[in-house]
Amino acid sequence: SSPADVKGLLLAAFRSNSPTFFLTHAKLLGIEGPVEEGFYTTPFGQAEVKRAGRDVTIVATSYMVVVALQAAEILAKEGIEAEVVDPRTLTPFDEATLLASLERTGRLVVVDECPLRCGVAAEITAAMVEKGFKFLKAAPVRVTRPDVPIPFSTPIEDELTPDAAKVVAAVRRLLG
């Protein structure tokens, strides 16, 4: 979700002796940010809290981290402090960081561009409910694309894709 993560994870993938799939999002190509000079790797299976918060945990992957951070800024103006967590890798998956965040906030919103069913958001939500049910103050919410084919029409695609407004609305509903 950031240039530093791209470099660190890609270099870790090059060094890995295991088969590695490295997926990125076209919208991330225009994102700028600081990147350390020289060689470094970002360990697989190590999530990062991109923004600390106390009221709700928003877990997002890839470009949806950018969207979640935008939503967190909007929510902060309303006095709602959202913690944004980026798992960075799905296998291995850092459950401990996500569970620690869920324990702090008690509420979970998972944002992903995959369809509602059988996607990344479904798996993350299932893992958090299985392992962190005792921390939940409310049922988790997923903000995803609906289970429909994505049309060729850009305006319709935009309507179906999660954005900051949809994440903000989900958090507001969750907090009542």
Side-chain angles (χ1 to χ4, degrees):
S1 65
S2 72
D5 284 347
V6 169
K7 180 180 177 182
L9 290 168
L10 194 55
L11 290 174
F14 289 149
R15 286 229 157 155
S16 175
N17 290 326
S18 299
T20 304
F21 288 93
F22 191 92
L23 303 174
T24 190
H25 195 293
K27 288 183 178 178
L28 287 174
L29 296 175
I31 302 293
E32 295 183 7
V35 177
E36 281 183 44
E37 300 257 344
F39 185 89
Y40 69 89
T41 61
T42 300
F44 294 158
Q46 189 174 67
E48 182 178 27
V49 175
K50 299 286 187 177
R51 185 182 197 284
R54 67 177 184 282
D55 298 317
V56 61
T57 297
I58 302 174
V59 178
T61 59
S62 188
Y63 182 70
M64 290 295 106
V65 175
V66 174
V67 169
L69 289 167
Q70 292 167 350
E73 288 299 317
I74 294 166
L75 291 164
K77 292 174 184 170
E78 300 174 16
I80 300 169
E81 290 300 322
E83 182 151 291
V84 178
V85 182
D86 178 359
R88 299 198 288 194
T89 62
L90 300 175
T91 304
F93 183 69
D94 181 0
E95 287 181 349
T97 298
L98 275 68
L99 286 168
S101 178
L102 184 58
E103 185 175 12
R104 279 190 299 279
T105 68
R107 293 174 186 87
L108 177 66
V109 173
V110 183
V111 185
D112 185 55
E113 280 190 82
C114 291
L116 182 66
R117 307 256 183 305
C118 301
V120 171
E123 286 302 314
I124 291 172
T125 303
M128 293 301 97
V129 169
E130 287 173 359
K131 305 267 174 68
F133 185 78
K134 62 187 170 206
F135 305 133
L136 290 170
K137 297 176 185 174
V141 176
R142 291 177 284 166
V143 181
T144 67
R145 288 185 169 181
D147 293 323
V148 298
I150 300 303
F152 186 72
S153 166
T154 302
I156 298 173
E157 181 180 2
D158 290 345
E159 181 63 31
L160 298 175
T161 302
D163 60 20
K166 292 174 184 144
V167 176
V168 167
V171 169
R172 287 178 185 148
R173 281 192 312 272
L174 183 62
L175 294 174

